[in-house]
Each structure stands twice: as C-alpha cells, then as structure tokens.
Amino acid sequence: MMRVSEPAGGLPIEGEIPSLSGATAWLNSPALTPGALRDKVVLIDFWTYSCINCLRALPYVKGWYEKYKDYGLVVIGVHAPEFAFEKNLDNVRRAVSDLGITYPVALDDRFAIWKGFDNQFWPAHYFIDSTGRIRSHHFGEGNYEESEQIIRQLLTEAGYTNLPPAGVQSATAVGVQAAADLAHDQSPETYIGYRRAQSFGSPGGFLQDHAHAYVVPPRLGVNQWALGGTWRVDPEKAVLENAPGRIVYGFSARDLHLVLGPGSAGKPVRFRVQLDGATPGLNHGADTDATGVGVIKDQRLYQLIRQSGDVRTHVFSIEFLDNDVQAYAFTFG
C-alpha cells in the first residue's frame, strides 16, 4: 500500500499515549506497547462486557476495525470491569468470543490503563495518531460519523491512501446492541447493591450484608423498585437466599435490562418475567420468550423487555425459581 506525506490536520494534541503495561492479560494478541504501535493509528475503546452503553457502541467499533484494519488502524479494547465478576478471565474470554470481537483486548483489572488516560467513562474512545499522540476523544454512545471522520483523517495524515468509502450505515445491531429509544427512555441506570442503590421501595430499606425477608409494597412509583423474598444485599449486588424471590420495578423505557448471574456454584437459575402482572408476549426481550420464561447461565447483562409497539410505562416483575441468583443493576434504552 502506497504511503504519501500529508500535512497535519486541525485536530489538537491532547497528550501522548500512556503505557499499556498495566494490563493483567491480553486476548486476541500478545501484549502491545506504545512503541510497537508507532506508524499505526490507534483507537482505544474503554469498555466492560455488562455495560449496555458499551454494547450499543460495539457494532461501530467492530465495523471500523473491519473496514480500516488493512489501512493502518489498530483497535484495542481496554476491558475495565465495573463488577467483580468482570475480572474473571474466563468470563471476559467468553464474552469476547460471543460478541465476535477479534481485535486485541487488554484486561485492565487494576485500572492502570484507565488511570493513565485519566478516564472516567464507559464507553470512552481515544483516537491516537501514528506518532503516538492522542488527537481526540469521545465519551459515551453516539457521534459515530464524526468518530469515523477522525479515524480517516488520522490515517490520511499517516500516509495511508485509497481508504474505503466512509459510512456507518453498514453497522448492524440487534438485541442488546441495537440503538436505544432515547425519545422514550425515562428510567435511569439503577444499582441493586446498597453502595449505589437509589429509589428502593421495600419497607424498612436495606438490612446490609445479612439475609432479610423483603416485601414488595402494593404500589410502586415510576423508577421505584423493590425486592420480594429473602435476599442478602451487599455493596455490589443482591443474592437470593431462598427461592422464590422477586424484583419489581416501575419503569418507563422501551428496553429493560438486568445484570444477573448464577451463584458461586454456577447452577442455572430459572426465572419468569411479567409486565403489569401478565406475560410479556411481543414485548419480551432477547433473553426471554413470549411467556416471559428464561434461564440465567452466565454472569452478564440480560435483555428482559423490548416493547414492540407503543412504548408505555409498566410495572416489571421478575420471579426467580431457584436459589442463589445474583442481581446487580438495571439499565434501560
């Protein structure tokens, strides 16, 4: 591929790429260093595999990699865990495989790379030129057309020519990776562990770190939630001590997701979802059927509701039929 000299564009210089040596493991690649990346344009994607915002951005990141990997682009997914189970190498390896990620992934379990970039967000994209300088960044979802233009500009500056046509319309996304319905999303990310929990509606609040019988009140307001049954709530999650147990949430959004996992024994957990006391029907998510039935086998984000028609406010309920389920956080879209 011919390389030509191009003058620098108008993007500012935000600093030098920090060390990547703090990674605890690498997937799809041997360990990479800033020196080894010289003459390449680098996209750093801070993500974690249970993060809905990261998952919705992922089709674009994968699309850019496939389109420009033969034209000088290197993508590095820096996996910075939000929950303890995301530090498990086997969990991350399974997620990388299931998500079809083939570019290098650095596991940043100690947040060393995160701190080197002074990062604070999932997802976060940093655009690095062929001399190792950070030239731009973007936090959160969206801005995909502008991000691709930055990639193209940096590749052109580096001397790469005959780039394929621009355009993100080829990025296809289904299930949890489909774009959010922002016009109807009125429910916030909601953590279940007591360290960050808000709007908890069970009478008496939490009994921290001890098994306790919780009750769902007769009515829940929008964005209020409650536990039913015997649960042990710790800073990060709630663990069901005795089945059956319920979590109920009054929400206003097209999609409802819940980060869940089986307990330490790894046994599958059966569950049943309802909307306003009835089976979800056509409003079921990717991880349930029309009757609301599903099984938790892995520690990950589960899509439980995707409203198929007019989006309305509902009371969501999930009943777990087996012990030891772990529940971490609701997200919406």
Side-chain angles (χ1 to χ4, degrees):
M1 190 179 305
M2 184 179 69
R3 296 170 61 98
V4 298
S5 176
E6 291 283 343
L11 294 173
I13 298 172
E14 300 181 355
E16 298 287 325
I17 180 174
S19 171
L20 305 176
S21 63
T24 56
W26 287 81
L27 300 176
N28 297 335
S29 172
L32 298 175
T33 66
L37 295 168
R38 288 301 172 104
D39 297 326
K40 298 289 187 179
V41 172
V42 180
L43 169 60
I44 299 286
D45 174 25
F46 282 96
W47 72 298
T48 187
Y49 81 83
S50 75
C51 164
I52 185 61
N53 308 95
C54 302
L55 293 172
R56 289 195 291 238
L58 188 59
Y60 296 91
V61 177
K62 290 168 57 179
W64 297 327
Y65 173 70
E66 292 299 327
K67 183 186 291 189
Y68 297 112
K69 65 181 180 179
D70 295 328
Y71 296 85
L73 177 68
V74 174
V75 174
I76 300 175
V78 177
H79 187 271
E82 182 173 16
F83 300 113
F85 67 80
E86 293 173 307
K87 296 181 181 180
N88 182 294
L89 178 59
D90 289 336
N91 283 350
V92 182
R93 183 182 285 115
R94 183 185 304 112
V96 166
S97 175
D98 290 346
L99 293 168
I101 296 171
T102 57
Y103 49 77
V105 175
L107 275 66
D108 193 25
D109 290 351
R110 296 189 292 261
F111 283 72
I113 303 173
W114 177 287
K115 293 174 183 176
F117 277 85
D118 195 25
N119 186 54
Q120 300 180 49
F121 302 97
W122 293 281
H125 298 148
Y126 293 87
F127 303 87
I128 298 160
D129 68 19
S130 60
T131 67
R133 302 175 300 182
I134 301 171
R135 299 289 298 280
S136 188
H137 64 270
H138 180 259
F139 302 139
E141 300 177 58
N143 214 49
Y144 300 119
E145 293 183 5
E146 294 86 346
S147 293
E148 184 177 15
Q149 288 304 315
I150 291 169
I151 292 170
R152 294 175 66 85
Q153 178 175 329
L154 296 181
L155 290 172
T156 301
E157 287 182 14
Y160 292 96
T161 61
N162 301 317
L163 301 180
V168 297
Q169 68 273 12
S170 61
T172 57
V174 297
V176 298
Q177 297 184 49
D181 180 4
L182 297 179
H184 295 97
D185 185 1
Q186 302 297 317
S187 290
E189 183 174 18
T190 302
Y191 292 93
I192 294 175
Y194 63 75
R195 183 175 58 215
R196 291 185 285 180
Q198 294 181 328
S199 302
F200 181 57
S202 290
F206 294 115
L207 180 63
Q208 298 181 3
D209 301 309
H210 291 84
H212 180 66
Y214 292 92
V215 176
V216 177
R219 296 180 184 275
L220 284 174
V222 177
N223 299 329
Q224 191 177 25
W225 65 282
L227 296 171
T230 302
W231 295 80
R232 176 169 44 83
V233 182
D234 67 27
E236 187 176 69
K237 64 187 180 297
V239 180
L240 181 62
E241 294 284 315
N242 296 301
R246 290 194 301 154
I247 307 177
V248 181
Y249 196 118
F251 78 103
S252 182
R254 183 193 66 188
D255 303 338
L256 180 147
H257 315 94
L258 185 52
V259 178
L260 297 163
S264 56
K267 295 181 180 179
V269 175
R270 299 165 297 153
F271 67 84
R272 181 169 52 236
V273 162
Q274 292 187 323
L275 277 184
D276 303 324
T279 59
L282 295 178
N283 293 319
H284 72 89
D287 291 300
T288 69
D289 62 18
T291 68
V293 170
V295 179
I296 300 160
K297 297 180 179 180
D298 304 310
Q299 293 171 309
R300 62 176 177 87
L301 179 144
Y302 288 77
Q303 185 185 80
L304 302 176
I305 297 296
R306 166 157 288 172
Q307 296 191 54
S308 61
D310 293 336
V311 176
R312 298 187 291 108
T313 298
H314 291 281
V315 175
F316 164 87
S317 175
I318 182 168
E319 181 179 26
F320 303 100
L321 306 179
D322 300 294
N323 296 341
D324 214 22
V325 68
Q326 300 178 347
Y328 292 83
F330 285 94
T331 57
F332 302 89

